[in-house]
Amino acid sequence: MSRTTPSRPLDVEALFPELANYRGTTTRLHPRPGRPEATDSSVGGPLLWPANEPWPVCTEPHSHARGRRPADIHRQRQILAAVWLREPNPGPTVEERQLLEELGRKHRVQDVAATDPLPLIGLAQLYRRDIADLPAGPDDCDLLQVFWCPFDAHGPTGHSMLLDLRWRRSWEVTEVQTSPPQPLVVGYEGYVPEPCVLHPEQVATYPFAGLLPEDVCARIDAWEEGLEEVAEQLADEATAAPVGYQYDLSIPPGWRVGGFASWHATDPSPMNCRTCAVPMHLLLTIDSTEWDGGSGSWKPLEEQDLPTYQSARPTQVTVGRWGELNIFACPEGPHHSHRWSIQ
């Protein structure tokens, strides 16, 4: 079933005509639980990885001998999803609580050194044929595959994530690796995705307000302040929250490809290629939720009747403190190193 973004509450270009010059597109991926195959674009599904090619591993030295088992994480999620749908008495039984507690335990893997290679988790793969805003890869590559390490133990602080993005030509893969290596334990359950099929949808998008010309940004701020004042004067339980540029009219929430990055948690930061200094473009956004209380206007038409707690977190991926990960790519050199920012 396709997913359809509702029309925006207001025509932002009618309010601010100059925004027409900044309009772009982004492809909402709309991941939903399913059984993807290696030939599908997916989150958490099997990857089209050659049987004769080594699986990506983390080689940075760090402790990875203690954590939760991925199978336990998947099982715990399945149980929780089922018990909260149970009628007429939702919630776990005493026996289920005991099982959930057992599944939540951390385990130690014996004889694992910090310098031992750690298999990365295959997070997602995206085919250009499916994703309108996915740029061309280097050397005619048509498939982007995303991996990450399941431990926050990298970078100068020793507490950052590690990403590994690979491009490949899908038609060259003749034999697929069906049982790739997996980490025995993970440091954070938010790194473990649930298998999801994608329902790509291209929508219009506009830049983060702080990156627009100062006069346009000031007019947007004044307009929003006016709406907030009216809402305060009419405040009652039936009054809907006022429409906002950030959460209703410009940048959609959820997993998406292309478009503009949101900088709602920090000030905008220049993302220039470290190889050629060219300003980088947003490649992929990995979000902890598909929508929330502040961005509910983006909830697909087909899912309007679903409660948020059942439908807003299909991938079960959590970025940082329930944020989003923006990955940037160089438009001049797709093979140049990527950069990223957490919001």
Side-chain angles (χ1 to χ4, degrees):
M1 179 176 67
S2 62
R3 298 300 189 278
T4 309
T5 298
S7 299
R8 295 300 78 216
L10 296 171
D11 183 348
V12 71
E13 291 185 19
L15 293 167
F16 308 100
E18 54 269 67
L19 285 180
N21 297 323
Y22 300 94
R23 185 196 318 125
T25 59
T26 186
T27 299
R28 300 186 70 188
L29 298 182
H30 295 303
R32 297 296 184 270
R35 296 179 179 273
E37 298 182 356
T39 52
D40 298 325
S41 294
S42 67
V43 172
L47 303 189
L48 190 79
W49 192 264
N52 61 353
E53 187 173 324
W55 187 261
V57 296
C58 177
T59 57
E60 290 190 17
H62 63 78
S63 175
H64 53 84
R66 186 172 184 272
R68 293 187 61 193
R69 297 168 178 164
D72 290 349
I73 293 171
H74 289 301
R75 179 62 178 145
Q76 185 182 60
R77 291 169 177 170
Q78 292 169 358
I79 294 173
L80 286 171
V83 301
W84 290 114
L85 288 175
R86 182 184 295 148
E87 296 293 347
N89 298 309
T93 63
V94 173
E95 293 78 10
E96 287 167 337
R97 289 183 186 277
Q98 293 174 344
L99 176 56
L100 290 170
E101 183 177 350
E102 176 64 24
L103 293 172
R105 287 181 52 215
K106 291 186 176 181
H107 299 267
R108 181 171 294 280
V109 181
Q110 300 299 320
D111 302 322
V112 173
T115 54
D116 289 345
L118 173 67
L120 299 183
I121 289 179
L123 175 62
Q125 68 174 12
L126 306 173
Y127 288 87
R128 285 200 72 208
R129 64 166 192 255
D130 299 328
I131 317 295
D133 287 291
L134 185 64
D139 304 320
D140 297 323
C141 288
D142 67 321
L143 176 60
L144 175 65
Q145 296 174 314
V146 183
F147 301 83
W148 59 11
C149 177
F151 287 84
D152 288 323
H154 309 91
T157 66
H159 300 287
S160 296
M161 65 170 55
L162 180 141
L163 289 168
D164 189 348
L165 275 66
R166 306 286 185 98
W167 283 98
R168 71 168 62 256
R169 291 178 285 273
S170 63
W171 60 88
E172 294 181 345
V173 181
T174 56
E175 184 179 355
V176 179
Q177 189 168 153
T178 56
S179 298
Q182 298 292 323
L184 297 177
V185 294
V186 302
Y188 179 43
E189 66 181 74
Y191 280 125
V192 180
E194 291 298 314
C196 288
V197 295
L198 306 184
H199 306 84
E201 178 200 21
Q202 189 178 55
V203 298
T205 184
Y206 300 88
F208 181 72
L211 293 176
L212 291 169
E214 289 187 11
D215 61 324
V216 178
C217 184
R219 289 175 55 215
I220 292 174
D221 287 343
W223 171 73
E224 289 183 327
E225 289 173 2
L227 292 180
E228 290 173 0
E229 290 177 1
V230 172
E232 290 176 0
Q233 295 171 1
L234 301 175
D236 59 53
E237 294 183 358
T239 303
V243 173
Y245 177 80
Q246 170 67 27
Y247 295 108
D248 295 299
L249 304 178
S250 58
I251 300 175
W255 286 63
R256 58 193 180 88
V257 169
F260 305 105
S262 175
W263 297 93
H264 57 275
T266 67
D267 290 331
S269 176
M271 282 290 169
N272 296 328
C273 178
R274 291 195 171 105
T275 301
C276 65
V278 168
M280 305 180 87
H281 293 177
L282 180 65
L283 175 64
L284 172 65
T285 296
I286 296 169
D287 207 336
S288 300
T289 61
E290 288 298 292
W291 61 83
D292 57 23
S295 57
S297 70
W298 297 93
K299 188 176 182 180
L301 294 174
E302 295 82 0
E303 298 173 334
Q304 291 291 309
D305 295 334
L306 295 179
T308 298
Y309 74 89
Q310 287 183 14
S311 56
R313 300 201 65 241
T315 69
Q316 294 291 319
V317 166
T318 305
V319 176
R321 297 180 178 179
W322 298 87
E324 64 185 44
L325 172 66
N326 292 315
I327 303 174
F328 299 84
C330 177
E332 299 296 329
H335 58 287
H336 293 172
S337 297
H338 299 87
R339 298 186 65 182
W340 52 269
S341 168
I342 292 180
Q343 294 294 305

